[in-house]
Amino acid sequence: QADVFTYDPGFTSTASCESAITFIDGDKGELLYRGYPIDQLAEKSNYLEVCYLLLHGELPDKATLDDFIYRVTRHTMVHEQMHNFFRGFRRDSHPMATMVGVVGAMSAFYHDSLDISDPWQREVASMRLIAKLPTIAAMAYKYSMGQPFVYPRNDLSYAENFLNMCFSVPAEPYKIEPALAKAMDRIFTLHADHEQNASTSTVRLAGSSGANPFACIAAGIACLWGPAHGGANQACLEMLREIGTVDQIPEYIKRAKDKDDPFRLMGFGHRVYKNFDPRAKVMKESADEVLELLGIEDNETLKVAKELERIALEDEYFVSKKLYPNVDFYSGIILEAMGFPTSMFTPIFALSRTVGWISQWKEMIEDPTNKIGRPRQLYTGATARDYVDVDKR
Ligand code: SDX
């Protein structure tokens, strides 16, 4: 703890809350989940173990981890009646729209029986959200494809289950590729939590009013959707496709530097990191592995991404503004290679981040002094004045 508290970013006065969950050193490009560096967790751990760590603060022993995995696995199915919610959406709805609606509706199925003032029932709510978000995300995908929903299976790992629910069809069961499932699991881990970002602050603020955890997570999903936040992974891949080939890059670099041009290099820059986003480094290595595994290592989009990164990191503008690739820069390349449409990139970010959101919600609920509560403002409007009748204006 001492090490962390000696770090003075100089903005403690604007800190919205205290938290012991995730630590970011933006200047060093360091990210710790409960003190463990993200690159070590991405290499040596797995997503459900990281879920336990974020929720409870310590790495579990084998028996505790097995029990946690057992309980999450057996909460993966959603109430059969929830299938009906999807049919109210147009088939071409963005899966994030569906997820906001259906996760919010979980309040009607799973909250009424819960008393969140009871620690065990907070654990049950957390478990249900971690377990059911992949199922709901996969259902949103299947619905958009006009394909039948695929039920979760208890014999598969968390990542294998998600891939199977997305890509299995009655005519041809999905062939689980362990290395691909490992890459999927790693993507979940890299997105699991990230201190007080916009969507986490949204969840904390919603939770500070006493709103139920399912409604709070739906609020977080809505906030994450924005292209400046979680929607950047979809926007980034679409940008890389628009650039198309390496020789087009200088034109886009020029546009990104033009103050009069609203174009931004998606997947670049960060409110906190003024050095490399450590998640982007792991993601870049994973992109090479996955594309090689799938035999598409000469992928044009990956070539454009790597050349764009190389040029931007040498360019005075980006260097002076400390703009580096962030978590969204390479993730879309991996997800597209796995077979996901760009519209599923942010839903995957949302299901991964659910454990971070619910861990931060739990931390806030368990420490009444730690609520964001009710932010104030600096009023810049008109001073007090009397009403004027419309015929005298
Ligand atoms: C996520 O908060 C989190 O932790 C979020 C997240 C998480 O895990 O929850 O990390 C996930 O949201 C990552 C960010 C994904 N967004 C994008 O990739 C969208 C593109 N990037 C941006 O729009 C932008 O970088 C932000 C919104 C992320 C940060 O914007 P800021 O706060 O303006 O960044 P900055 O202050 O460091 O910018 C410094 C300068 C500014 O110019 P000046 O006003 O000083 O002249 O660089 C410019 C910015 O205008 N700039 C960019 C740029 N990002 C910043 N110029 C071109 N392209 C970019 N991508």
Side-chain angles (χ1 to χ4, degrees), residues 65-80:
L65 178 60
D66 289 347
D67 172 63
F68 183 75
I69 291 172
Y70 179 89
R71 287 188 287 127
V72 169
T73 302
R74 278 148 189 82
H75 275 95
T76 47
M77 220 162 46
V78 294
H79 191 293
E80 196 70 3

Side-chain angles (χ1 to χ4, degrees), residues 128-181:
R128 281 179 171 156
L129 281 157
I130 293 166
K132 296 180 195 306
L133 258 286
T135 307
I136 291 169
M139 291 171 81
Y141 174 56
K142 284 309 216 186
Y143 183 72
S144 73
M145 299 287 285
Q147 294 178 0
F149 295 141
V150 174
Y151 285 89
R153 280 174 37 188
N154 291 354
D155 62 321
L156 299 179
S157 73
Y158 193 87
E160 290 171 343
N161 217 358
F162 178 65
L163 290 168
N164 187 59
M165 290 188 288
C166 286
F167 297 127
S168 196
V169 288
E172 189 175 334
Y174 175 69
K175 183 180 172 309
I176 305 277
E177 173 53 67
L180 226 46

Side-chain angles (χ1 to χ4, degrees), residues 2 12 17 21 43-44 81 91-92 111 129 143 147 188 195 209 211 224 252 259 264 267 295:
T12 40
C17 65
I21 299 173
E43 186 195 335
K44 298 176 180 170
Q81 255 189 275
R91 285 282 177 184
D92 61 353
H111 175 65
L129 281 157
Y143 183 72
Q147 294 178 0
F188 293 157
E195 202 224 66
S209 74
L224 185 76
Y252 284 84
K259 280 294 161 211
R264 279 269 197 283

Side-chain angles (χ1 to χ4, degrees), residues 65-248:
L65 178 60
D66 289 347
D67 172 63
F68 183 75
I69 291 172
Y70 179 89
R71 287 188 287 127
V72 169
T73 302
R74 278 148 189 82
H75 275 95
T76 47
M77 220 162 46
V78 294
H79 191 293
E80 196 70 3
Q81 255 189 275
M82 287 190 73
H83 291 211
N84 302 330
F85 286 124
F86 290 87
R87 293 183 178 77
F89 288 90
R90 287 178 17 183
R91 285 282 177 184
D92 61 353
S93 306
H94 193 292
M96 284 298 278
T98 323
M99 283 184 74
V100 169
V102 174
V103 172
M106 287 177 79
S107 308
F109 283 85
Y110 302 110
H111 175 65
D112 298 349
S113 59
L114 283 181
D115 168 9
I116 56 170
S117 64
D118 171 354
W120 173 246
Q121 297 193 50
R122 286 199 292 272
E123 175 82 2
V124 169
S126 306
M127 198 72 64
R128 281 179 171 156
L129 281 157
I130 293 166
K132 296 180 195 306
L133 258 286
T135 307
I136 291 169
M139 291 171 81
Y141 174 56
K142 284 309 216 186
Y143 183 72
S144 73
M145 299 287 285
Q147 294 178 0
F149 295 141
V150 174
Y151 285 89
R153 280 174 37 188
N154 291 354
D155 62 321
L156 299 179
S157 73
Y158 193 87
E160 290 171 343
N161 217 358
F162 178 65
L163 290 168
N164 187 59
M165 290 188 288
C166 286
F167 297 127
S168 196
V169 288
E172 189 175 334
Y174 175 69
K175 183 180 172 309
I176 305 277
E177 173 53 67
L180 226 46
K182 173 69 188 149
M184 184 84 262
D185 189 271
R186 191 183 301 129
I187 286 178
F188 293 157
T189 295
L190 292 171
H191 288 87
D193 192 48
H194 209 240
E195 202 224 66
Q196 304 312 314
N197 56 83
S199 52
T200 298
S201 300
T202 301
V203 171
R204 277 182 174 260
L205 199 53
S208 68
S209 74
N212 77 72
F214 304 97
C216 293
I217 298 302
I221 294 172
C223 177
L224 185 76
W225 194 359
H229 189 11
N233 50 20
Q234 173 172 352
C236 180
L237 192 93
E238 288 162 357
M239 173 194 76
L240 294 172
R241 278 204 198 128
E242 184 188 326
I243 294 174
T245 54
V246 168
D247 61 316
Q248 292 302 311

Side-chain angles (χ1 to χ4, degrees), residues 24 193-194 196-199 224 227-230 232 256-257 259 263-274 277 279 317-318 321-323 326-328 349 353:
I24 301 174
D193 192 48
H194 209 240
Q196 304 312 314
N197 56 83
S199 52
L224 185 76
H229 189 11
K257 297 195 279 190
K259 280 294 161 211
F263 174 74
R264 279 269 197 283
L265 278 186
M266 301 316 279
F268 259 81
H270 200 275
R271 292 247 191 267
V272 177
Y273 288 122
K274 300 310 167 191
D277 180 336
R279 301 169 295 177
Y317 174 88
F318 291 91
K321 296 197 183 285
K322 299 183 178 178
L323 298 177
N326 59 47
V327 68
D328 297 308
F349 192 152
R353 184 55 58 87

